[in-house]
Amino acid sequence: MENLELKERFIDEKTGIEYIRKGDYYYPNLIDSASIKANELGKYGKLRLKYLLEHKKLEYTILWVENKLRSHLLEIDKTANEKFYLLMKQFAKKENITEELKANNQLEWVSSMNNIKNRVEEIIFRELIYV
């Protein structure tokens, strides 16, 4: 009886893809998008994945085959979140939206912050998600 658990691994130098031997055959050690845990990606990583699946199938496939999809989505999510908080802070400072305004006129503060949030997300979508 063949021992199918006997695994021999190697990495193809040209592609960088790891292969695992099972029986007489070598299979690429690929991680598909299903292995990305739902709670692992934030809002922007999920939006990027959806965009790739719906509009950039080739780019999605290349990232998946090269085993870079997970790291790509995590990097986009991290970068987008950092950019979001930085731009929110910068826009609020530039438009003089302070804690004092929040204490004195909450409706104006909320309205201004929502306006900034929408502009910041539009920048993030244009520069990181939908490219």
Side-chain angles (χ1 to χ4, degrees):
M1 182 172 170
E2 262 184 76
N3 182 2
L4 294 177
E5 291 302 311
L6 174 66
K7 295 180 183 179
E8 184 179 317
R9 299 172 181 249
F10 77 93
I11 296 177
D12 183 355
E13 292 177 13
K14 184 177 179 185
T15 63
I17 297 175
E18 179 183 32
Y19 288 85
I20 299 174
R21 180 178 172 201
K22 294 182 181 178
D24 293 334
Y25 301 98
Y26 287 95
Y27 297 94
N29 186 17
L30 301 175
I31 299 174
D32 63 3
S33 62
S35 67
I36 299 171
K37 298 177 181 83
N39 61 353
E40 190 173 22
L41 288 179
K43 173 183 179 178
Y44 300 113
K46 289 175 185 175
L47 286 171
R48 179 67 176 161
L49 175 60
K50 183 178 182 203
Y51 178 74
L52 288 173
L53 286 169
E54 293 175 359
H55 302 284
K56 300 276 189 166
K57 281 285 215 187
L58 180 60
E59 189 175 341
Y60 169 83
T61 304
I62 290 169
L63 287 168
W64 184 77
V65 167
E66 292 178 349
N67 204 15
K68 295 178 181 176
L69 179 63
R70 181 177 176 272
S71 61
H72 171 74
L73 295 173
L74 291 171
E75 182 63 30
I76 290 288
D77 193 62
K78 178 182 175 224
T79 304
N81 278 308
E82 289 170 356
K83 189 168 194 150
F84 176 83
Y85 291 112
L86 177 68
L87 289 175
M88 285 292 291
K89 203 180 286 186
Q90 289 176 348
F91 277 113
K93 184 177 181 180
K94 182 179 178 185
E95 296 177 19
N96 200 26
I97 300 170
T98 62
E99 290 297 317
E100 184 180 326
L101 176 63
K102 183 178 180 181
N104 294 336
N105 192 343
Q106 292 177 352
L107 287 178
E108 185 178 338
W109 182 85
V110 169
S111 174
S112 299
M113 291 304 284
N114 282 337
N115 187 321
I116 291 172
K117 178 182 177 259
N118 290 335
R119 288 185 284 155
V120 167
E121 284 198 328
E122 191 63 36
I123 291 168
I124 290 171
F125 293 155
R126 191 171 3 107
E127 292 180 2
L128 295 172
I129 308 300
Y130 303 135
V131 291

